[in-house]
Amino acid sequence: MGGSVGEGFVDTARKAWRGVALAMLAVAGVGILIALFAIQDSANARRDEALRLQSHSYDVMILTRSLSSTIAEAEAALGRYVVSGDEQIGRRFTEEWDRARDQIDRLDAITDDNPAQQAPIDRLRAAYEERGRELAVTASSTAYGRDRQAYARFYEAGKSRSLSEIDRDLDTIIESERGLLDKRTQAAVASVHRSTTITTLLSVFGVLVVLGAIVLAWLTLAAMHERANARAEAESERERAKTLEDAVATATAALREQEAKFRQAQKMEAIGQLTGGIAHDFNNMLAVVLGGLELAQRALDGDTAAARRHLDSAAEGADRAAALTRRLLVFSREEALSPEAMVPAEAVAGMSDLLDRTLGDAITVNRSDDGAGWAVHCDRHELENALVNLAVNARDAMEGRGVLTIATRGVSLAAGEVGDCAAGDHVAIAVGDSGCGMAPEILDRVFEPFFTTKPVGRGTGLGLSQTFGFVRQSGGDVAITSTPGAGTTVTLYLPRHLGEPVGKVPAGAAPTESTADGAPLAILLVEDDPRVLAATAAALGELGHRVTTCNDPFLAPALLDRQGPFDLVVSDVLMPGRTGPEMVGDLLLRHPDLAILFVTGYAGDGVAADFGGRPVLRKPFTIAGLAQAIGEAMATARPGTAHAIAAE
């Protein structure tokens, strides 16, 4: 009886233990299931987050590469614009450059979650803005027709610090995002490994744990497979991007080759047009010179007044040829202006005879002045050239018969009212004609260098472009209106100058004396061209000086020692075997008190330092100009100092 009670107690205890064990197992099983479900949910969440972060990183890198490509496209468009001057290409540059700014803003927005990216993006934005300003100057130079300056600035922009900074910042952003992507991938892999370990440990508590581990392992393998697929897709995208970059590089190389061919064709066309126009203008001027000289020869024995008149006509033709040469030098070298205070109405009045002779009797010139005596500060010679160019264009538009109007007036402009003119008082010089006028598509191109509507050989295409450049360089702007069949009016706006105007030296003024007391000088003249040597020697003799000539720079030192002393050496610049400055350098070592004068007509002598800061007389020159240059050379000469004036 007692044994039965004891066994029952044991059975009850076992059942209780089993119940407790079962309960514990159930609780453990439930806990394991809960843990498995929690681990699974956590793994899924981390997988989704890892995929999102990877996708985000790829978006950042793709956007960065797209930004680099957009900037490259914009700069390529600017290069084509500088070469062609096509406004549509210029707009393409602006659109691409603005699109790059939008891409920087998007890049900034999608990297807000990563403070480490903000610093390189801020540097990238600053370098982009600086680069934009540099390229804008190049585009502006092209828009204003200053092609040579635009080429130089575009070449300098290619070596700019901002360009290398943009490339460096783009590489920094990509490398930073790539490093962040690697860290995120490693963190995701580590998380998967931890989940797998926990699942393995839980599997020892029972079949449910094992099944849960199997499910979890399957889910983990699926996640890893998805990540592998994502990496494969990303690698495929990188390969496609690389292929696209190679295609862009190939297309760019082909485009550059085509641009070079197009640029060469444009250059040859411009040279042909320029050559024909110059030949036409020079032939006209030479016809005046040769005709005047021949008529003067015929009249020498009879009508001396007629001979003088014909000689004056020949001299005027030669002056116009020299003026054309100076305009070409100004255009090719962007030569600095020599501004002075002057009243435009007085300059127009002083050109009456010149305009009458240039335009002919069939054209009536009407002048009016409402300028109230306002002065401007500009180069008188360039202003007169601009007015002559406009008058000649008007004559051709009227086919040699009509009415030309030149009106000066004072106006007050608001900022931007006329082109780039600043707000304030301006003097407006309007040149209008009653000619054929121009269509809008032609009007848009009239200020382009080498563009002309005249027949082949009738013009250089430089007149209006030079006028535009001169007025802009003087701080003003040009406005042009034209109606087909009703004529054209070109108006020059120059800022008012409040200083006192200077008087123009009369063309027939007496030559300046060579020295303070007018005493004759002993002059050594070195020139390799026999005709120039004879003409210059005759001019010096006409001024009363004693001249010794030398046609070889290597013989000059011995001649100076043998026939000296000399007060002044007048030397050509470019001579066979030895330049004038080289010869003068040797002379001054032995005769440091000599005054030196260089005479030059060479277009490539733009650096004044080549002559040591000494005065320079330009060919062709008049006897009055020669006398003035001699006086300047003698006035600046000091004992023991080298002084020279050069002419080529």
Side-chain angles (χ1 to χ4, degrees):
M1 178 82 176
S4 297
V5 172
E7 289 177 0
F9 177 79
V10 171
D11 290 336
T12 300
R14 287 178 177 174
K15 288 180 180 178
W17 178 82
R18 290 189 190 103
V20 172
L22 289 174
M24 293 177 61
L25 288 175
V27 171
V30 172
I32 291 172
L33 288 175
I34 293 174
L36 288 174
F37 285 124
I39 291 172
Q40 181 179 355
D41 290 341
S42 176
N44 288 336
R46 285 192 293 270
R47 179 200 63 189
D48 294 339
E49 179 64 14
L51 291 176
R52 185 188 67 80
L53 294 176
Q54 285 178 333
S55 177
H56 178 270
S57 295
Y58 292 139
D59 289 341
V60 172
M61 290 188 286
I62 291 173
L63 180 56
T64 304
R65 293 190 182 278
S66 297
L67 172 59
S68 176
S69 177
T70 300
I71 292 176
E73 284 291 335
E75 297 212 8
L78 177 59
R80 296 193 296 273
Y81 178 45
V82 169
V83 170
S84 67
D86 189 336
E87 293 183 359
Q88 184 175 0
I89 298 178
R91 287 192 294 271
R92 173 69 184 276
F93 157 68
T94 302
E95 293 169 357
E96 291 294 327
W97 196 252
D98 290 341
R99 187 157 71 93
R101 180 183 290 106
D102 294 338
Q103 290 176 335
I104 292 175
D105 293 338
R106 288 174 51 203
L107 186 62
D108 192 4
I110 67 174
T111 55
D112 282 341
D113 61 331
N114 185 6
Q117 288 284 39
Q118 295 305 307
I121 290 177
D122 291 340
R123 292 195 301 270
L124 173 62
R125 189 185 299 277
Y128 167 85
E129 296 297 338
E130 179 181 354
R131 184 66 174 170
R133 289 188 292 270
E134 295 172 354
L135 298 183
V137 172
T138 303
S140 178
S141 298
T142 301
Y144 294 150
R146 304 180 69 84
D147 294 343
R148 189 180 184 90
Q149 183 176 352
Y151 296 156
R153 286 175 173 167
F154 184 74
Y155 175 76
E156 291 298 326
K159 302 183 291 183
S160 171
R161 176 176 57 84
S162 61
L163 180 59
S164 60
E165 288 179 352
I166 289 175
D167 293 337
R168 184 177 65 250
D169 292 335
L170 289 172
D171 292 339
T172 300
I173 293 171
I174 292 175
E175 290 302 321
S176 176
E177 197 65 33
R178 184 178 289 115
L180 184 60
L181 176 62
D182 292 339
K183 291 180 180 179
R184 288 169 174 171
T185 302
Q186 292 172 2
V189 172
S191 176
V192 171
H193 288 167
R194 286 194 299 271
S195 299
T196 303
T197 302
I198 294 173
T199 302
T200 303
L201 292 176
L202 292 175
S203 65
V204 299
F205 292 98
V207 175
L208 295 177
V209 176
V210 172
L211 294 176
I214 293 174
V215 172
L216 180 61
W218 179 83
L219 295 175
T220 303
L221 290 175
M224 294 178 64
H225 179 68
E226 290 179 0
R227 284 193 294 271
N229 288 339
R231 282 195 291 268
E233 290 178 1
E235 184 64 29
S236 177
E237 288 296 329
R238 284 194 291 270
E239 289 296 328
R240 284 198 292 270
K242 181 64 170 57
T243 302
L244 180 60
E245 289 178 0
D246 294 341
V248 170
T250 302
T252 301
L255 179 60
R256 287 175 178 169
E257 182 179 355
Q258 293 300 320
E259 285 178 345
K261 294 179 180 178
F262 179 67
R263 187 163 53 248
Q264 181 65 19
Q266 279 190 321
K267 184 189 300 182
M268 296 308 297
E269 180 182 358
I271 291 175
Q273 188 174 22
L274 177 62
T275 303
I278 292 173
H280 173 266
D281 289 349
F282 263 108
N283 283 337
N284 286 344
M285 297 167 192
L286 290 175
V288 174
V289 174
L290 295 176
L293 292 176
E294 184 177 3
L295 291 172
Q297 286 178 335
R298 291 174 176 270
L300 280 177
D301 297 332
D303 189 351
T304 57
R308 188 183 305 276
R309 186 172 63 255
H310 294 316
L311 289 174
D312 289 341
S313 178
E316 181 182 342
D319 289 340
R320 291 183 61 191
L324 175 59
T325 303
R326 284 194 296 270
R327 290 200 301 273
L328 291 172
L329 293 180
V330 169
F331 181 81
S332 64
R333 299 162 54 203
E334 296 185 0
E335 189 173 273
L337 301 178
S338 300
E340 62 181 71
M342 57 176 291
V343 177
E346 296 177 359
V348 173
M351 297 173 62
S352 298
D353 292 341
L354 174 61
L355 292 176
D356 290 341
R357 290 194 301 269
T358 302
L359 302 177
D361 296 335
I363 292 181
T364 302
V365 180
N366 294 331
R367 296 189 304 273
S368 63
D369 176 28
D370 294 328
W374 286 5
V376 298
H377 191 254
C378 68
D379 189 307
R380 179 187 297 271
H381 180 71
E382 289 302 319
L383 176 60
E384 292 176 350
N385 276 341
L387 294 177
V388 170
N389 281 333
L390 295 177
V392 170
N393 285 344
R395 178 199 65 189
D396 294 342
M398 294 184 290
E399 297 183 352
R401 183 178 300 275
V403 177
L404 176 72
T405 302
I406 304 178
T408 55
R409 68 183 190 278
V411 295
S412 294
L413 300 178
E417 181 177 349
V418 175
D420 292 337
C421 286
D425 292 339
H426 290 71
V427 176
I429 310 171
V431 180
D433 63 63
S434 57
C436 59
M438 289 178 284
E441 60 272 14
I442 296 178
L443 198 63
D444 292 338
R445 300 187 59 194
V446 292
F447 294 122
E448 294 180 11
F450 306 118
F451 177 78
T452 179
T453 58
K454 299 177 182 179
V456 176
R458 291 291 305 277
T460 63
L462 295 178
L464 284 178
S465 64
Q466 272 200 283
T467 299
F468 179 81
F470 153 68
V471 175
R472 277 294 186 88
Q473 198 170 352
S474 300
D477 214 320
V478 182
I480 182 170
T481 58
S482 185
T483 303
T488 301
T489 298
V490 180
T491 306
L492 315 182
Y493 290 90
L494 296 171
R496 180 186 180 186
H497 180 68
L498 299 179
E500 289 295 327
V502 298
K504 183 179 179 181
V505 177
T512 304
E513 295 295 336
S514 300
T515 61
D517 56 3
L521 302 174
I523 298 177
L524 175 61
L525 174 62
V526 184
E527 167 64 63
D528 64 297
D529 189 309
R531 291 168 296 182
V532 178
L533 180 67
T536 306
L540 291 172
E542 187 70 21
L543 291 173
H545 302 300
R546 299 188 304 276
V547 184
T548 301
T549 60
C550 177
N551 62 358
D552 188 341
F554 290 99
L555 301 178
L559 190 61
L560 183 65
D561 294 337
R562 185 172 63 253
Q563 299 188 22
F566 291 96
D567 301 303
L568 173 68
V569 174
V570 178
S571 173
D572 191 7
V573 173
L574 291 184
M575 294 178 286
R578 197 178 199 191
T579 67
E582 291 173 344
M583 177 199 72
V584 166
D586 289 345
L587 297 181
L588 292 175
L589 291 176
R590 292 181 289 178
H591 304 276
D593 296 340
L594 276 175
I596 308 295
L597 173 62
F598 292 104
V599 184
T600 183
Y602 173 50
D605 60 353
V607 182
D610 291 346
F611 307 114
R614 303 176 180 97
V616 177
L617 179 62
R618 305 287 177 173
K619 296 178 182 177
F621 53 84
T622 63
I623 294 179
L626 177 61
Q628 184 176 356
I630 292 174
E632 185 179 353
M634 298 306 298
T636 56
R638 296 186 181 91
T641 306
H643 292 277
I645 302 177
E648 171 53 37

